[in-house]
Amino acid sequence: MGALHLTRETSAPPAVVWDVLTDFAAYGQWIPLTHMRVDTGRPHVGWGFAGFSGLGRVGFWDPMLVTAWAPPVGGHGRFRVVKTGWVLGGWADVSVAPRDGGGTRLDWAEDAVVRPLPFRRSLAPLLDPALDRASRWLYGRAIDAMLAEALRRTESAS
């Protein structure tokens, strides 16, 4: 896995997009074979969540810690998480901004690495291209589904 940057636009307003993106407990709806565990309370810097990816008991936890949290003000919002697990390391930085003419621009940047590093170094030339394509597809699919949910919420509130 490596760095990816995905940008999407939607007619849903930034506050609605933010609400969907930051409902970390619901990420299992968007990411196949994943269920979530979240800290109590509302997200904030220092708050954590984890996704278990796998089938049954075979899989791994991907714990994350919120390191930046700025809900939308004037339509601009951003959060950043750091992956703290023993299988995956890295970070994700997600921002929403208003679009000219209405709606939202979403930028999702992520850099994830497979640990342990000795394993990764030996197999990286073989695995990285496939993992990069799979990550781009998986995150793109999840983001598109989240934005579809934001649009559905916007239309049902109208």
Side-chain angles (χ1 to χ4, degrees):
M1 298 176 83
L4 70 91
H5 182 209
L6 300 171
T7 299
R8 298 289 195 273
E9 293 187 345
T10 178
S11 58
V16 177
V17 172
W18 178 266
D19 287 345
V20 174
L21 290 173
T22 60
D23 182 0
F24 300 106
Y27 272 37
Q29 295 175 38
W30 321 120
I31 302 171
L33 304 174
T34 299
H35 68 269
M36 302 301 295
R37 179 178 62 201
V38 300
D39 285 355
T40 58
R42 299 178 64 97
H44 58 276
V45 171
W47 186 87
F49 63 100
F52 181 83
S53 296
L55 289 170
R57 292 183 173 190
V58 178
F60 65 93
W61 284 101
D62 182 13
M64 288 165 254
L65 185 67
V66 176
T67 59
W69 187 258
V73 174
H76 295 271
R78 176 180 166 259
F79 70 86
R80 183 178 176 90
V81 298
V82 174
K83 295 176 172 287
T84 61
W86 65 273
V87 175
L88 293 178
W91 52 267
D93 198 292
V94 179
S95 65
V96 297
R99 273 188 337 174
D100 290 341
T104 304
R105 174 188 164 107
L106 165 67
D107 285 295
W108 186 296
E110 184 150 350
D111 192 7
V113 295
V114 177
R115 297 179 183 166
L117 289 178
F119 168 79
R120 182 181 160 21
R121 283 189 197 112
S122 64
L123 296 178
L126 300 173
L127 295 179
D128 279 355
L131 289 173
D132 288 348
R133 281 191 302 278
S135 293
R136 183 169 294 283
W137 175 83
L138 178 69
Y139 283 103
R141 184 179 177 273
I143 290 166
D144 290 344
M146 286 188 260
L147 292 179
E149 174 61 17
L151 190 57
R152 186 195 65 73
R153 290 182 189 182
T154 299
E155 291 169 350
S156 69
S158 300

